[in-house]
């Protein structure tokens, strides 16, 4: 299974590259989040060769399922402009040049982690029989949680690299913003990742434990509302502590 999933991870990165190439050709700002996501996926891919996880196959499988939720949303938006609300907010924002690069990135991160991740984790738990009634569910979930939390450390290490990618490929003002924000934007990104992933684990276990389709829809709808609420509050300007910095943010926003 390990060799097959490793090959599929290579295919996944290639698929991201193809989508990025198309977004660049179309001057589509959806490429901002996908650039971030590709970098994080590559970090995950590299980390799976290290001794960080108790079950690397499970973690690979989760990584793949997680990516599919992103492509499902992106494909739906391309097809008819209809997808889950947090993704709709992120994708619609990408049609405007009046938002900061960091905001585009955070909107995508929010939709993917708050809304997509619990659903991907739940599907992986179910697929691996991790909540089987005849098994020691508490022990299995403790092992899964260990691997899930280990991913937090991998992602936290990518924040600086992602910021460099955003500055190099999209806007050098990202570095200026970082200086004025006294690195609070990086703290905000890490805090969002850790908090959302912690909440996401609990939501995933609840979702995987749902007894029927009606309960699953209740859980899914809750995640959609939660992520949509967070999306409405994403505004990098609030993390800039100086008046000069906030004025620069507003100027960038007005000038695209």
């Amino acid at each position: 299974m390990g060799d097959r999933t490793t090959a599929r991870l290579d295919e996944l990165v290639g698929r991201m590259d193809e989508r990025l190439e198309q977004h660049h050709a179309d001057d589509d700002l959806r490429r901002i989040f996908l650039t971030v996501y590709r970098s994080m996926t590559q970090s995950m891919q590299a980390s799976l060769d290290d001794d960080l996880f108790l079950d690397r196959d499970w973690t690979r499988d989760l990584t793949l399922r997680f990516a599919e939720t992103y492509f499902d949303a992106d494909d739906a938006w391309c097809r008819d402009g209809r997808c889950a609300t947090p993704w709709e907010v992120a994708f619609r924002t990408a049609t405007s040049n009046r938002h900061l690069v960091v905001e585009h990135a955070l909107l995508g991160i929010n939709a993917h982690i708050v809304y997509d991740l619990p659903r991907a984790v739940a599907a992986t738990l179910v697929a691996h029989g991790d909540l089987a009634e005849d098994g020691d569910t508490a022990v299995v979930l403790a092992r899964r949680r260990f691997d899930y939390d280990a991913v937090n450390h991998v992602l936290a290490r990518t924040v600086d690299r992602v910021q460099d990618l955003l500055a190099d490929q999209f806007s050098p003002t990202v570095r200026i913003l970082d200086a004025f924000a006294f690195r609070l934007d990086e703290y905000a990104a890490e805090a969002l990742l850790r908090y959302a992933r912690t909440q996401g684990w609990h939501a995933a276990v609840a979702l995987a434990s749902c007894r029927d389709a009606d309960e699953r829809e209740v859980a899914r709808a809750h995640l959609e509302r939660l992520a949509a609420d967070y999306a409405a509050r994403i505004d990098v300007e609030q993390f800039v502590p100086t008046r000069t910095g906030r004025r620069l943010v507003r100027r960038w926003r007005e000038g695209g």
Side-chain angles (χ1 to χ4, degrees), residues 40 102 106 109 113 151-163 178 183-198 239:
M40 290 182 168
V102 173
L106 288 176
I109 290 171
I113 291 184
V151 174
N152 291 344
H153 302 293
V154 176
L155 297 181
R157 293 200 302 264
T158 69
V159 172
D160 281 335
R161 184 168 71 253
V162 162
Q163 190 171 62
D178 185 40
R183 298 178 65 85
L184 287 177
D185 55 322
E186 294 169 22
Y187 171 79
E190 288 187 30
L192 172 63
L193 285 170
R194 292 182 183 279
Y195 176 79
R197 283 180 57 84
T198 297
F239 296 111

Side-chain angles (χ1 to χ4, degrees), residues 49-68:
D49 292 328
D50 299 329
D51 294 328
L52 297 179
F53 305 102
L54 299 176
D55 189 334
R56 284 184 280 190
D57 285 340
W58 186 89
T59 308
R60 285 191 187 96
D61 189 26
L62 172 57
T63 302
L64 290 164
R65 290 174 189 273
F66 188 32
E68 285 302 321

Side-chain angles (χ1 to χ4, degrees), residues 86 100 133:
L100 293 170
E133 293 182 1

Side-chain angles (χ1 to χ4, degrees), residues 6 9-10 13 40-49 63:
T6 298
L9 279 173
D10 291 337
V13 174
M40 290 182 168
T41 300
Q42 283 190 305
S43 294
M44 276 300 304
Q45 188 177 25
S47 73
L48 286 165
D49 292 328
T63 302

Side-chain angles (χ1 to χ4, degrees), residues 198-211:
T198 297
Q199 297 305 306
W201 172 261
H202 298 303
V205 173
L207 186 57
S209 302
C210 287
R211 294 170 293 185

Side-chain angles (χ1 to χ4, degrees), residues 3-248:
D3 291 340
R4 290 198 302 275
T5 52
T6 298
R8 289 178 62 198
L9 279 173
D10 291 337
E11 294 172 3
L12 170 61
V13 174
R15 189 178 176 189
M16 290 179 173
D17 287 338
E18 292 176 1
R19 192 66 55 99
L20 275 172
E21 184 177 351
Q22 185 61 53
H23 287 341
H24 278 287
D26 296 339
D27 195 24
D28 191 323
L29 293 178
R30 282 180 293 169
R31 67 186 184 273
I32 294 174
F33 168 71
L34 186 51
T35 296
V36 171
Y37 188 28
R38 181 188 183 279
S39 178
M40 290 182 168
T41 300
Q42 283 190 305
S43 294
M44 276 300 304
Q45 188 177 25
S47 73
L48 286 165
D49 292 328
D50 299 329
D51 294 328
L52 297 179
F53 305 102
L54 299 176
D55 189 334
R56 284 184 280 190
D57 285 340
W58 186 89
T59 308
R60 285 191 187 96
D61 189 26
L62 172 57
T63 302
L64 290 164
R65 290 174 189 273
F66 188 32
E68 285 302 321
T69 62
Y70 162 74
F71 282 110
D72 287 346
D74 197 60
D75 290 343
W77 177 258
C78 291
R79 185 168 56 249
D80 56 19
R82 299 182 65 182
C83 52
T85 304
W87 276 120
E88 185 177 337
V89 172
F91 293 150
R92 182 173 291 114
T93 299
T95 65
S96 167
N97 62 0
R98 295 188 178 276
H99 293 79
L100 293 170
V101 167
V102 173
E103 288 171 324
H104 286 291
L106 288 176
L107 283 169
I109 290 171
N110 169 68
H112 201 35
I113 291 184
V114 178
Y115 179 65
D116 288 345
L117 182 59
R119 297 184 300 120
V121 173
T124 306
L125 291 172
V126 171
H128 286 256
D130 294 334
L131 278 72
E133 293 182 1
D134 59 348
D136 194 342
T137 300
V139 172
V140 173
L141 287 182
R143 290 173 58 83
R144 299 311 190 208
R145 180 64 188 267
F146 178 91
D147 287 345
Y148 180 87
D149 285 344
V151 174
N152 291 344
H153 302 293
V154 176
L155 297 181
R157 293 200 302 264
T158 69
V159 172
D160 281 335
R161 184 168 71 253
V162 162
Q163 190 171 62
D164 288 340
L165 279 173
L166 295 178
D168 292 341
Q169 296 189 25
F170 301 106
S171 174
T173 54
V174 169
R175 290 196 177 91
I176 300 174
L177 176 62
D178 185 40
F180 274 105
F182 303 133
R183 298 178 65 85
L184 287 177
D185 55 322
E186 294 169 22
Y187 171 79
E190 288 187 30
L192 172 63
L193 285 170
R194 292 182 183 279
Y195 176 79
R197 283 180 57 84
T198 297
Q199 297 305 306
W201 172 261
H202 298 303
V205 173
L207 186 57
S209 302
C210 287
R211 294 170 293 185
D212 54 39
D214 288 340
E215 288 190 354
R216 286 191 291 274
E217 175 56 22
V218 168
R220 186 211 63 79
H222 167 73
L223 292 172
E224 182 173 7
R225 288 192 300 270
L226 184 64
D229 182 57
Y230 288 156
R233 289 184 279 164
I234 289 177
D235 182 355
V236 169
E237 186 177 333
Q238 66 184 302
F239 296 111
V240 180
T242 67
R243 181 177 301 175
T244 300
R246 289 190 292 274
R247 186 166 59 249
L248 281 174

